[in-house]
Structures are given as structure tokens and as C-alpha cells.
Amino acid sequence: MVQRVAVVGAGCSGLACIKCCLDEGLEPVCFESSDDIGGLWRFKEKPEPGRAKLYSTVVSNSSKEMMAYSDFPPPAHFPNNMHHTVVLQYLRLYAQHFSLLRHISFQTTVHSVQQRPDFSISGQWEVLTVGRDGEEETHVFDAVMVCSGHFTQPHLPLQDIKGIQTFNGRYFHSWEYSSAGGLEGKTVLVIGIGNSGGDIAVDVSRVAKQVFLSSRSGAWVVPRVGDGGLPVDVVSGIRLASLLMWLLPSWIDGVMKKKLNQRFNHRLYGLQPSHGIFSQLPVVNDDLPGRIISGRVVIKPNVKEFCGSSIVFEDGTVVDKMDVVIFATGYEYDFPFLPVALQTKAGHRLTLYKHVFPPSLEKATLAVVGFIHGLGSIIPLAEMQARWACLVFKGLRKLPPEKLMLQDIHSDTKRMHQRFACSERNPLQVDYIHYMEDVAQEVGVKPQLFSLLLREPALGLRVLLGPFTPYQYRLRGRGQWPGARHAIHTLWERIYCPFGTRLVPEPRPERKWPMFVFVALGTPAFLSYLL
């Protein structure tokens, strides 16, 4: 019977795994290679090999209510889109509240995870760790949860860049970038227009002589600030919108393109891609259009070749005297401590049932948690995966036979490649709400909307028409949290709270709508966002 569980990594996914293990009466032991929790969200001035790193200006793309743990709402006074220091503060509060730190072994690196000789009977694993003093130790665990992330191995495609060896300036990967210090007065090229590329181009443009941003395929740029000044994911991220996207994908895609182009014309700005809005994760950036319109950032096509300090682009244009090149070209994903047999791929993704379980294991005692992308925060996704994994470990939920799991992986991979622009650098993406609902069904916590609307109409309308918050998955079933209803009902109080630094009297409205209309809809801005 599963009792002791190894958790690899103490980032936001690892913390969720520890908490879920404790909820199910399991004994988690978390191995964290650094000296602190937080993973990606712990800022480090200098990059450390094998560890994720962010830059000093990072702000969360998801708002606080949409990226919360399902039974731990963020403090009301926290800003809606949190600076990385505030996200780390939230993770610390979560770890302290649920007493998670005592289950973490810091400065301990997992070197290998191997099945024991009697695995077919016991399902146990041997975990070899290396401590802070270099001493190796072998542990035996009944199950393993892998939460080591996938932003640790920078992809630097120098072999694809003609003439890079002739460049006499400085070049490096965005993983090494901390701040714009040292780039004052320089001419800088940023290659790649993901979220990192956009952020770094904006940041550097405040001090550099000139910044060029090179993009192979363009990108849709989405602001954090939506209609009425509300967080855009609160305005648009509702269950009903997901249903409309599922039923009328082309129409919704067209509506969203029109909406984004009203803010600024992507074609005019040289950013419009050929793919649809939901085919690839958009660039979340409020400042990029302003830097482009002021000339501080100049959009360029893909790089053709380097000629000394000159850069030749695919449209034939040349920029001379380039000082610095920053490659925002993504990451390789790697789990070097796992057996090779568990690292087989389906398309570009790992062969994992519902992105969690390797189907080939005789005993389902290993889960990969948080290795997933969706148009939403990783925290609710990882937490839901962890809740499911713990139930499977305990034998409370059964996985299908290997053959059926492989069939599901095959069909899911096919659908994923049809709907999303997947590549080696972006190996997987899921429909956020659909995936959450799918795994919630496995856990037994998916909201029963019809029943909820009959029993508690006000709450049911908030779940159906309001922001798609993680608290909805604590209303029923295993892990039910008594505070979930209150968290949903008081959602708008926490959203509005950080804005109250200077109170301005409301003008007397000419036409007064009943308050219940606004409460029922969750946010009146959503309708104007779609139309």
C-alpha cells in the first residue's frame, strides 16, 4: 500500500503535491535542489545551471484569483497581477498555513529514480539523492511525483544561425537575463516573440539606444488590463465562454481577433500571425504596443544571417553595428533522473496519460505534475493533477488498461496538433477549462451545475457565468472545503480591494440597474468583451 511519496521539486507544483499528499494521509518527502521554495518564482540575480530563472521585472500573466490554490485565496490587498516577489510571498503563506516546509529536504538533488527489482509487486522506487555536502543517499518510496518543471534547459539554436561565428558582439539566452543593467546606450536585438521576448524587449528599450524584436511568425498580444480596468482573465475566463469556444470556435476566434485589433492593428504593427488566437499561447504584454509606436522597439522578420556586427533579415533589410543579441528561443525539456523507458514521446510530448501517468508502468505509482501548458495559470492545473495522482496512489481511483491509455494518448495528441501550434519548443498545450473539467471528473469534484442552479441559484450563476476560479472544485466531493462558497461569493471584494488606494465618489447614474443583475453575471464587462 502506498504510504511514502517522493516529491521532486518545491516550486508551485511541488507545494501542491505535498499538500495533496497530506490531505490523503500520505507521507511526502520533497527534495529541493536549492535552499528555498518557489522554483521559477524565486528570483536569482545569477543563473544557476539546471534551475529555472526569471528576470527582475516579471509580473504574473494570470490574475491572483485565477492562479490561486483552490483552498487558499490570496490576501485581498495583494495586487491582481502580482510581481514575482508577491507571488513568492503568496507561496510562502501557502506553505506556512499548511505546514509544508517541514516535509522539504533543501539542497538535495535527485540523481536518479529507478524501479525496485520487485516493482511489479510492490510498485516501489529507489530514489538516489545527493545532499549539500555531496553525500549520496538511497531512499525507498512507494510513489514518486515529478514536479521539476520545464524551464531549466535553454534552447540556443546557434547551429541554425548562419554566420553567428563572425558576430563580434555579445549574445546570450534569455535564461541569463536579469535586468537591463549594462545595456544602456546599446543596440540590441531580441530573437523570439514569446512572453519572455516581449517582456525583455520592452524592458531593454527603456535604456538601450535601439531595440529590434525579431519574430518568425508573429504573435497575438493580449493585455493584462481588460475592459473597465479589470484583469482580462477575470473578464474573459468563464465556463460559458469555454462552452462557446467549443461550439463556435471560428466565430469566437474572429470576435477575439476583432477585439484585439481594436486595441492596435496587429497587421499594421507587423505582429499579426497566421495562426488563430487560441492555437498558441498569446503574448501577454501591456507595454509592447506603446514601445513600438514610440519607435523604441522595431519589429523585424526572422534573421537570415550574421555578417560581423551586421544582421541581415529575411526581408533583405540590414541593421549595422549590433551590440547585443538576446535569444528568447525557448527551452528543451528533460527529465535526466527518470528511466529512459519513461521518456518516450508521442509527437513532441511525453507519452503520459492525461499528461500525468506513464501508461507502461505495471503499477501506477509515478506521476508527472505541472508539465503542461494552457491559457491559464499552472497552479490550478498542477493542483488538480496532484489531487488525482494521490487518489490513484491510494487505490481510490483506477487507471484504464495500458492499451486504452495509449489509444487515448494517440487521439489526444492528434487533436492537440490539429488545434494548437505544437513544436519541440512548445510540445504540448491543452484547452484550459476543458482539461480542468476532465481531470476534475476523475477526482470526483466537477461542479454539478444543474443541481447547483436548482439548490443555490446565486452560487450556481456565479459558477456558470462568473470567473472560472479554482474554488469551484472545492464545493463537493473528496477534499471539499467549507470556505469555497465564501471564496466565490467574496471574489469581487478581493479583486476590487487593491484598487482602493484613492477612493473617488461614484457619479449618480442616470439609469440604475438592479444589483442582482451584476452579481448574477459575475462581471458585466464580459458581454462587452465578446461583442
Side-chain angles (χ1 to χ4, degrees):
M1 179 177 176
V2 170
Q3 193 62 35
R4 296 185 73 235
V5 180
V7 179
V8 184
C12 58
S13 299
L15 294 176
C17 287
I18 300 170
K19 163 69 165 50
C20 292
C21 284
L22 294 174
D23 287 346
E24 292 299 335
L26 302 175
E27 299 174 9
V29 179
C30 178
F31 299 109
E32 169 55 44
S33 62
S34 71
D35 59 0
D36 201 357
I37 65 169
L40 173 66
W41 291 106
R42 187 171 66 85
F43 175 73
K44 300 168 282 292
E45 189 67 40
K46 294 183 179 180
E48 300 171 356
R51 296 193 186 127
K53 181 183 176 297
L54 46 74
Y55 32 94
S56 62
T57 56
V58 165
V59 173
S60 63
N61 291 337
S62 299
S63 61
K64 64 179 181 181
E65 297 297 328
M66 305 296 272
M67 67 179 292
Y69 291 103
S70 61
D71 54 358
F72 193 71
H77 68 277
F78 275 19
N80 282 290
N81 285 87
M82 299 181 285
H83 186 258
H84 65 80
T85 56
V86 185
V87 175
L88 183 58
Q89 186 180 349
Y90 173 66
L91 297 180
R92 292 196 195 285
L93 290 173
Y94 178 75
Q96 292 165 7
H97 182 78
F98 293 109
S99 302
L100 307 182
L101 295 177
R102 59 193 177 92
H103 299 280
I104 304 174
S105 177
F106 291 106
Q107 293 186 307
T108 306
T109 302
V110 172
H111 188 268
S112 69
V113 174
Q114 299 290 334
Q115 295 147 285
R116 299 200 76 200
D118 64 345
F119 180 82
S120 60
I121 299 172
S122 69
Q124 290 183 327
W125 300 84
E126 286 187 357
V127 178
L128 176 64
T129 62
V130 180
R132 68 193 69 187
D133 55 0
E135 183 176 350
E136 294 185 352
E137 187 174 356
T138 300
H139 316 257
V140 175
F141 287 97
D142 300 307
V144 176
M145 306 179 87
V146 178
C147 318
S148 54
H150 48 286
F151 296 111
T152 58
Q153 305 295 329
H155 173 66
L156 195 60
L158 299 183
Q159 70 281 358
D160 299 329
I161 306 294
K162 183 179 178 181
I164 184 66
Q165 68 278 3
T166 69
F167 182 58
N168 48 24
R170 177 188 173 203
Y171 64 84
F172 57 93
H173 192 274
S174 58
W175 177 75
E176 298 182 50
Y177 181 84
S178 292
S179 70
L183 298 177
E184 295 86 351
K186 304 289 187 182
T187 301
V188 179
L189 170 65
V190 179
I191 298 178
I193 196 175
N195 281 301
S196 295
D199 281 350
I200 291 172
V202 167
D203 193 33
V204 174
S205 71
R206 304 188 193 283
V207 302
K209 178 181 178 181
Q210 182 64 67
V211 172
F212 296 90
L213 178 56
S214 168
S215 171
R216 183 190 302 272
S217 57
W220 294 104
V221 179
V222 176
R224 293 179 179 88
V225 182
D227 289 349
L230 296 170
V232 72
D233 57 351
V234 166
V235 172
S236 60
I238 69 171
R239 191 183 298 271
L240 182 60
S242 177
L243 178 61
L244 289 173
M245 274 189 277
W246 194 259
L247 296 174
L248 304 166
S250 298
W251 181 75
I252 292 292
D253 187 76
V255 168
M256 293 300 296
K257 286 178 181 178
K258 180 180 177 181
K259 182 71 177 179
L260 291 179
N261 279 324
Q262 285 176 346
R263 180 171 176 249
F264 74 92
N265 188 311
H266 283 63
R267 185 180 300 280
L268 178 65
Y269 277 56
L271 290 171
Q272 184 162 316
S274 58
H275 62 260
I277 289 178
F278 303 105
S279 298
Q280 194 167 308
L281 295 180
V283 172
V284 181
N285 198 302
D286 295 274
D287 300 321
L288 184 58
R291 305 313 288 175
I292 295 173
I293 203 170
S294 65
R296 303 309 302 148
V297 173
V298 175
I299 302 298
K300 300 295 289 184
N302 196 41
V303 172
K304 180 180 180 181
E305 63 177 311
F306 283 64
C307 296
S309 61
S310 298
I311 310 293
V312 182
F313 296 93
E314 288 186 344
D315 62 357
T317 58
V318 179
V319 175
D320 296 318
K321 298 181 180 179
M322 190 68 68
D323 297 307
V324 179
V325 177
I326 302 173
F327 287 87
T329 45
Y331 293 82
E332 311 279 358
Y333 69 91
D334 189 20
F335 299 94
F337 50 85
L338 289 180
V340 174
L342 299 185
Q343 300 191 51
T344 57
K345 296 182 180 179
H348 298 301
R349 60 177 281 198
L350 282 181
T351 304
L352 298 172
Y353 178 60
K354 295 188 186 296
H355 305 282
V356 179
F357 291 102
S360 59
L361 292 177
E362 298 162 284
K363 299 285 185 179
T365 55
L366 184 140
V368 177
V369 175
F371 185 60
I372 196 167
H373 283 302
L375 191 56
S377 172
I378 186 62
I379 289 178
L381 288 170
E383 184 189 37
M384 187 63 73
Q385 291 177 328
R387 293 173 72 180
W388 181 36
C390 288
L391 295 181
V392 172
F393 291 164
K394 290 191 69 175
L396 299 176
R397 299 291 185 274
K398 298 293 184 182
L399 299 183
E402 179 182 358
K403 181 180 179 180
L404 294 182
M405 286 193 283
L406 288 172
Q407 289 175 355
D408 183 88
I409 293 169
H410 176 75
S411 59
D412 180 59
T413 302
K414 185 177 179 180
R415 285 193 303 270
M416 186 171 69
H417 281 268
Q418 288 173 343
R419 185 168 182 190
F420 303 113
C422 299
S423 65
E424 287 187 77
R425 235 55 58 210
N426 179 33
L428 54 92
Q429 188 173 335
V430 297
D431 182 299
Y432 184 82
I433 295 180
H434 179 76
Y435 181 80
M436 286 285 285
E437 295 280 86
D438 186 27
V439 181
Q441 185 72 39
E442 299 285 349
V443 180
V445 296
K446 182 179 177 180
Q448 296 177 327
L449 284 174
F450 184 72
S451 174
L452 195 59
L453 286 166
L454 289 177
R455 290 184 291 105
E456 300 180 66
L459 180 63
L461 286 171
R462 283 180 168 88
V463 172
L464 177 63
L465 301 174
F468 183 75
T469 56
Y471 321 125
Q472 299 178 12
Y473 295 111
R474 292 287 180 177
L475 291 171
R476 60 177 290 268
R478 199 172 185 89
Q480 181 178 351
W481 174 48
R485 282 168 173 78
H486 180 73
I488 294 171
H489 281 298
T490 57
L491 171 73
W492 289 102
E493 294 176 20
R494 293 190 300 278
I495 291 173
Y496 287 130
C497 179
F499 293 112
T501 54
R502 177 180 175 267
L503 299 179
V504 179
E506 291 187 21
R508 185 174 184 142
E510 294 182 6
R511 184 178 183 183
K512 188 174 182 180
W513 291 89
M515 181 56 68
F516 74 85
V517 174
F518 298 99
V519 172
L521 289 177
T523 168
F526 172 69
L527 294 180
S528 64
Y529 191 82
L530 281 182
L531 301 176

